[in-house]
Amino acid sequence: MSELASAPPLVPARMPVADVIRVGGHGLRSRPLRVFLSALGIAIGIAAMVGVMGISASSTHELDRRLSSFGTNLLTVTAGEGSHLPTTAVSMIGALPAVDTVSAVGRTGVRVYRNDHIPTERTGGIVVYAARTDLPTVAGARTVAGSWLTEAHTAYPAVVLGWTAARSLAVYETGPDQLVWLGGRWFTVVGILAPNDLLTDLDYGAFVGWPVAERELGFDGYPTTVYTRPQQSAVTAVQPLLGAAANPENPGEATVSRPSEVLKAQLETRRTLNALLLGLGAVALLVGGIGVANTMVISVLERRSEIGLRRSLGATRGQIRTQFLAEALLLSLLGGAGGVALGIGITAAFAATQGWAAVVPPWAMGGGVAATLLIGGLAGFYPAVRAARLPPTEALANP
C-alpha cells in the first residue's frame, strides 16, 4: 500500500504536432465529399477576395504604366461647340512661363472613305484634322505602322490614320501606302497611330498636313484643340491661364482639361466597384465558415462512439478538443489554399484578356490564408468543445 501511495500521479501524454495533424487529417479523409463541399465554400470566398484585390492591383499597375507613358502634365484647350480658337492660340500658349511644348489640330469639314464608291453618309465617325508635325511629341502619340507626318508630307496628299479610323477603313490589315478617298481626292496613308488611352479622340482621326489642308480641303487655318505640356511642377499654376492665353477675347469659350484626371476618375470608379465585390467575397467567406461549423457539428454527432472509445482508452478532453479543432483548421486551410490559387488564376485570366500584367499583392495571398485559419478556428471551436465535454459512458451507450 505504501508503494502505491508513493507512486507519482499519472500525467496525460502530450500529442506532438505531427500526431495532431495526422489524426486531424484522418478525420477529414473519412468524409471526402463533405470535406470537398465545405472547403469549396471557403475557396469561393477567398477566391473572390483575392481575385478582386488582384484585379484592382493589376488595374492600378496598368494605370501607373499608362500615366508614366503619356505623362500627367498634358493639358488640352478645346474650342466651344461651333467655334474655334484664334490662329495665335499656339504661339500665345507657348509664350507662357513654364510651358515646354505646344501643338494643335484643326477640325476640317471634309470626310474620308475607303474609296470613291462609298455612300457619303457612311462616315464611320472619322474626323479629318489638320495637324502639326510636332503633335506626337506633345500628345504622346506613336505609330504602329509607317510614320508620322514630316515637313515633306505636309504639302502633299498624305494622311495618318488613328487606330480606330484605320480599322474602320480596313487599312489596318493592309498597312500604309494604301489610298483613301479624302475630301474628294485620293490621299496616301503614310502611318497608323497606336491606340491612345489618354486622348481617345485621336483614335477616330485622320490627320493631314496643315498646308495641304488649307490648300486642298478648304481648311480655314483655325485650331480647334491645342495640346501643351508645362513643367510638371507648374501644371496647377499654368492650367488656369490657358483659357485666356488661347482666346483672349472670349476666354470662356475655351475648355481646359487634364486628360490624366479622366484615367484617375476611372480608377476611382473601379475601386468603388471593387469594394462592393470585396464585400460580396466576405459574405461568401462567412457562408463558407458556417459550412465548416456545420460539417464539424455533424462530425461530432456521427463520431460519438469514436469519441467515447478514445476517452475510455485515456484520451483527455484537451486531446479530443485539439483533434476536432485541428480538423476544422485543416479543412479551412485546404479551402483557403485552393481559394488563393483560384483567385490568382482569375486575376491572371482577366489581366490576359485586358492585355495587362497580372499583379497579386503578397499581402492579399497571405491575408487570404490567415482569414481562412481565423474562420476555421472560430467555426471549429464550438464543435471541438462539445466533443471534449461528451462523457465517455454516454458516447458509448448512444453511438
Side-chain angles (χ1 to χ4, degrees):
M1 292 291 295
S2 60
E3 293 180 358
L4 292 175
S6 61
L10 296 176
V11 179
R14 293 183 178 275
M15 291 181 64
V17 176
D19 288 344
V20 173
I21 296 175
R22 179 176 55 80
V23 173
H26 175 73
L28 297 181
R29 289 194 298 272
S30 63
R31 316 180 301 282
L33 180 59
R34 187 181 300 167
V35 167
F36 171 76
L37 295 177
S38 299
L40 183 61
I42 291 285
I44 291 174
I46 292 298
M49 298 178 72
V50 173
V52 166
M53 288 183 285
I55 292 173
S56 178
S58 300
S59 176
T60 302
H61 179 271
E62 177 65 15
L63 175 62
D64 292 339
R65 186 194 67 79
R66 291 179 181 178
L67 291 179
S68 63
S69 174
F70 294 112
T72 58
N73 63 331
L74 177 64
L75 299 174
T76 64
V77 184
T78 306
E81 187 69 26
S83 63
H84 54 73
L85 300 173
T87 55
T88 58
V90 173
S91 59
M92 292 291 287
I93 292 176
L96 290 175
V99 169
D100 291 333
T101 56
V102 60
S103 187
V105 297
R107 184 165 182 161
T108 70
V110 302
R111 295 295 185 177
V112 58
Y113 305 93
R114 185 64 183 91
N115 55 55
D116 55 348
H117 300 294
I118 303 296
T120 56
E121 65 272 11
R122 295 179 58 182
T123 63
I126 304 172
V127 180
V128 179
Y129 295 100
R132 292 165 57 103
T133 56
D134 55 1
L135 179 65
T137 303
V138 182
R142 61 182 182 86
T143 57
V144 292
S147 62
W148 180 251
L149 299 170
T150 65
E151 292 295 341
H153 290 134
T154 56
Y156 296 96
V159 60
V160 174
L161 299 176
W163 173 266
T164 305
R167 297 177 71 89
S168 178
L169 295 173
V171 174
Y172 180 77
E173 292 79 3
T174 54
D177 299 327
Q178 302 297 309
L179 295 177
V180 293
W181 187 249
L182 192 155
R185 63 170 300 173
W186 295 104
F187 273 66
T188 302
V189 178
V190 296
I192 299 173
L193 294 179
N196 194 310
D197 297 319
L198 202 61
L199 300 169
T200 54
D201 288 347
L202 300 184
D203 293 343
Y204 293 86
F207 305 92
V208 300
W210 208 279
V212 73
E214 291 179 315
R215 188 179 66 250
E216 303 290 345
L217 305 179
F219 176 53
D220 55 17
Y222 293 110
T224 51
T225 303
V226 176
Y227 306 92
T228 182
R229 286 186 184 272
Q231 297 173 11
Q232 187 68 52
S233 59
V235 172
T236 55
V238 170
Q239 187 169 354
L241 306 176
L242 291 180
N247 194 348
E249 295 183 1
N250 299 291
E253 294 183 359
T255 303
V256 181
S257 62
R258 190 175 183 180
S260 60
E261 296 297 333
V262 177
L263 288 180
K264 292 180 180 179
Q266 292 176 356
L267 177 62
E268 291 301 322
T269 302
R270 289 174 183 170
R271 283 177 176 171
T272 302
L273 178 60
N274 289 341
L276 174 62
L277 296 178
L278 193 62
L280 294 177
V283 172
L285 181 59
L286 178 61
V287 172
I290 294 173
V292 171
N294 181 63
T295 297
M296 296 308 300
V297 169
I298 295 176
S299 177
V300 171
L301 296 176
E302 290 180 344
R303 296 161 66 187
R304 294 164 63 93
S305 58
E306 175 192 336
I307 296 171
L309 181 61
R310 289 199 62 200
R311 288 296 310 278
S312 64
L313 292 177
T316 65
R317 288 184 175 182
Q319 290 172 344
I320 297 296
R321 185 168 54 247
T322 300
Q323 173 189 347
F324 281 86
L325 190 58
E327 288 186 20
L329 290 174
L330 287 174
L331 176 57
S332 298
L333 184 62
L334 179 64
V340 169
L342 182 59
I344 294 174
I346 291 173
T347 301
F350 184 82
T353 60
Q354 301 295 317
W356 300 348
V359 178
V360 180
W363 60 264
M365 295 183 286
V369 174
T372 59
L373 292 177
L374 178 62
I375 291 293
L378 294 176
F381 180 75
Y382 169 73
V385 171
R386 180 172 179 174
R389 290 179 177 177
L390 197 62
T393 53
E394 181 183 339
L396 290 173
N398 300 283

